[in-house]
């Protein structure tokens, strides 16, 4: 059995290997309508199942995700590890950052954040300055740990020259293994914990979509899908055939093990070296409970090898650009 709590970097903050992702609960253009009561119940289900970590961002529903967390966690704040993210434009000045942090704290109804992420790199302000500002936030008791998200080897290398972030939050799932090529080894080498986002590939790894045509346009925005899709921003032909071939192969392995596919996909990630937690989105208590089961699912080396082999062609097809949404020319990774 794998451990169910892991430390983020060297912060002393211990998180469950499954984190609840709190983006979709705002019910925006990507995810469609959402009942707030379902969202609150999902958060309660997380705590009931031993999930202590919640991932939000100021940009999710413009603060609404944080407000739902405040509602659900009223009186239970100390049971939770609360993570939120500031948008890169709020790292252009100390006053912007302070305002962003205070807004998140107010939305969350708390006086401290456990983990405060820079959501995407900001290349206007020197990274050393951003880390010093975050150190000030930490000294003021507003945050416990500074972390980053979507930092490639270039950005992370620059950051590591001045400070070690607790976490690098990255897109990582069986259908998106690009980060294995360069970023994960660098994170492991420097004890930077990795938190995986979109761990069930925005629903693709639940098996709920029979083929690419069944995926709604708002969910068909990543580089898995053809540029002919109306909401894509990349210029690529996509990998729809290879993606669904991999999904069928994973489904067959899940069948052999009598394990729900999403649980298997999450457990595979939890077994990867250097992964602290997988940030699985859940929109209702049933999804949350199903995802939490991955924390105690042990996979044999043979199963892991089968899953690796089933997804190797897709990994090769995506090349070395970790940006799920933008082509290499416009990649936001460096
Ligand atoms: N740092 C970043 O740049 C970044 C980017 C993206 C996400 N994130 C974080 O990562 C979290 C997760 O990523 P994500 O939301 O993109 O994708 P995800 O976790 O791979 O997929 C979540 C979606 O899959 C469906 N689902 C979840 N569990 C299910 C289950 N057991 N059975 C059936 N369907 C299930 C739900 O949508 P439906 O019910 O509508 O199908 C849910 O919203 C986000 O909430 C956010 O906190 C961070």
């Amino acid at each position: 059995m794998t451990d169910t709590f892991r430390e983020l970097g060297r912060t002393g903050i211990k998180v469950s290997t499954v984190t609840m992702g709190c983006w979709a609960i705002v019910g925006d253009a990507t995810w469609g309508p959402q009942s707030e009561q379902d969202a609150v119940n999902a958060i309660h289900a997380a705590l009931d199942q031993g999930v202590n970590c919640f991932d939000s961002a100021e940009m999710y529903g413009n603060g609404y995700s944080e407000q739902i967390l405040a509602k659900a966690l009223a009186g239970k704040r100390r049971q939770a590890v609360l993570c939120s993210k500031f948008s890169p434009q709020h790292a252009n000045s100390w006053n912007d950052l302070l305002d962003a942090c205070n807004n998140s704290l107010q939305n969350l109804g708390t006086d401290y954040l456990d983990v405060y992420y820079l959501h995407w790199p900001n290349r206007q302000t020197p990274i050393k300055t951003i880390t010093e500002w975050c150190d000030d936030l930490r000294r003021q008791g507003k945050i416990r740990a500074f972390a980053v998200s979507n930092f490639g080897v270039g950005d992370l290398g620059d950051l590591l020259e001045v400070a070690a972030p607790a976490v690098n939050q990255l897109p990582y799932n069986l259908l998106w293994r690009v980060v294995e090529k360069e970023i994960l080894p660098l994170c492991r080498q420097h004890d930077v914990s990795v938190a995986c986002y979109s761990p069930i590939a925005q629903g693709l790894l639940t098996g709920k979509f029979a083929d690419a045509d069944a995926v709604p346009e708002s969910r068909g925005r990543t580089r898995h899908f053809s540029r002919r899709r109306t909401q894509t921003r990349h210029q690529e032909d996509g990998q729809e055939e290879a993606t669904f071939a991999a999904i069928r192969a994973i489904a067959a392995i899940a069948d052999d093990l009598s394990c729900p596919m999403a649980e298997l996909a999450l457990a595979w990630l939890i077994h990867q070296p250097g992964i602290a937690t997988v940030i699985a989105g859940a929109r209702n208590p049933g999804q949350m409970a199903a995802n939490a089961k991955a924390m105690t699912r042990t996979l044999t080396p043979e199963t892991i090898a089968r899953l690796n082999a089933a997804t190797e062609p897709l990994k090769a097809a995506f090349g070395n650009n970790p940006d799920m949404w933008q082509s290499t020319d416009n990649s936001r990774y460096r």
Side-chain angles (χ1 to χ4, degrees):
M1 192 185 285
T2 55
D3 44 335
T4 51
F5 287 87
R6 294 179 184 171
E7 184 176 358
L8 296 179
R10 297 186 191 129
T11 60
I13 300 172
K14 289 207 168 165
V15 296
S16 45
T17 49
V18 171
T19 288
M20 177 174 168
C22 297
W23 169 22
I25 55 169
V26 301
D28 61 8
T30 299
W31 297 100
Q34 168 75 39
S35 132
E36 187 177 293
Q37 194 56 52
D38 277 352
V40 167
N41 293 344
I43 294 163
H44 291 163
L47 291 177
D48 291 346
Q49 306 293 325
V51 167
N52 72 343
C53 189
F54 299 86
D55 183 76
S56 189
E58 60 168 328
M59 70 174 292
Y60 299 161
N62 199 18
Y64 182 42
S65 163
E66 295 172 326
Q67 290 161 6
I68 297 172
L69 274 166
K71 200 172 196 175
L73 293 173
K76 304 175 203 277
R77 163 65 187 101
R78 297 213 171 253
Q79 294 176 40
V81 173
L82 283 180
C83 312
S84 197
K85 312 185 195 78
F86 56 104
S87 302
Q89 70 271 21
H90 289 151
N92 285 340
S93 76
W94 161 249
N95 284 338
D96 283 349
L97 179 59
L98 185 61
D99 282 351
C101 185
N102 284 334
N103 279 336
S104 284
L105 292 173
Q106 194 178 3
N107 285 332
L108 284 160
T110 183
D111 54 3
Y112 71 96
L113 270 162
D114 294 282
V115 182
Y116 202 30
Y117 283 100
L118 170 56
H119 204 148
W120 284 86
N122 165 317
R123 301 187 188 110
Q124 318 290 316
T125 308
I127 191 66
K128 185 167 187 291
T129 306
I130 297 175
T131 61
E132 286 166 357
W133 289 339
C134 287
D135 235 22
D136 284 344
L137 293 176
R138 201 178 45 74
R139 274 193 291 270
Q140 291 180 27
K142 291 176 187 287
I143 69 171
R144 291 176 69 196
F146 165 64
V148 295
S149 177
N150 297 301
F151 268 46
V153 285
D155 286 312
L156 186 61
D158 289 350
L159 170 55
L160 285 167
E161 284 182 19
V162 294
V167 191
N168 192 8
Q169 186 176 133
L170 297 166
Y172 189 23
N173 62 59
L174 273 167
L175 305 175
W176 192 262
R177 296 176 53 194
V178 180
V179 296
E180 289 176 4
K181 296 174 187 174
E182 290 183 343
I183 311 178
L184 286 188
L186 187 63
C187 291
R188 283 199 292 266
Q189 191 188 334
H190 292 273
D191 281 334
V192 176
S193 293
V194 170
C196 312
Y197 74 73
S198 304
I200 47 178
Q202 303 199 321
L204 292 178
L205 285 166
T206 63
K208 66 172 72 179
F209 304 114
D211 53 35
D213 292 340
V215 179
E217 289 297 270
S218 65
R219 301 273 277 264
R221 295 167 49 223
T222 61
R223 287 167 53 220
H224 299 88
F225 298 94
S226 159
R227 63 181 159 192
R228 287 186 295 280
R229 294 266 180 165
T230 52
Q231 296 186 28
T232 49
R233 284 180 279 167
H234 63 77
Q235 307 305 322
E236 300 174 8
D237 292 334
Q239 298 292 340
E240 295 184 2
E241 252 177 57
T243 297
F244 278 84
I247 290 172
R248 283 191 294 277
I250 298 162
I253 299 168
D255 269 357
D256 286 351
L257 298 173
S258 302
C259 175
M261 196 169 158
E263 183 182 326
L264 179 64
L266 294 172
W268 175 83
L269 276 175
I270 291 168
H271 281 71
Q272 300 306 309
I275 303 307
T277 188
V278 299
I279 308 171
R283 309 185 62 178
N284 55 53
Q287 288 183 354
M288 189 62 246
N291 296 342
K293 291 210 168 86
M295 294 194 293
T296 48
R297 167 70 66 168
T298 303
L299 303 182
T300 63
E302 292 73 29
T303 298
I304 293 170
R306 281 180 78 192
L307 290 165
N308 289 347
T311 54
E312 205 61 55
L314 198 55
K315 176 181 171 183
F318 280 122
N320 204 19
N321 167 20
D323 194 324
M324 280 208 298
W325 294 278
Q326 305 265 26
S327 313
T328 306
D329 287 355
N330 291 317
S331 176
R332 291 160 293 173
Y333 275 75
R334 186 179 68 87

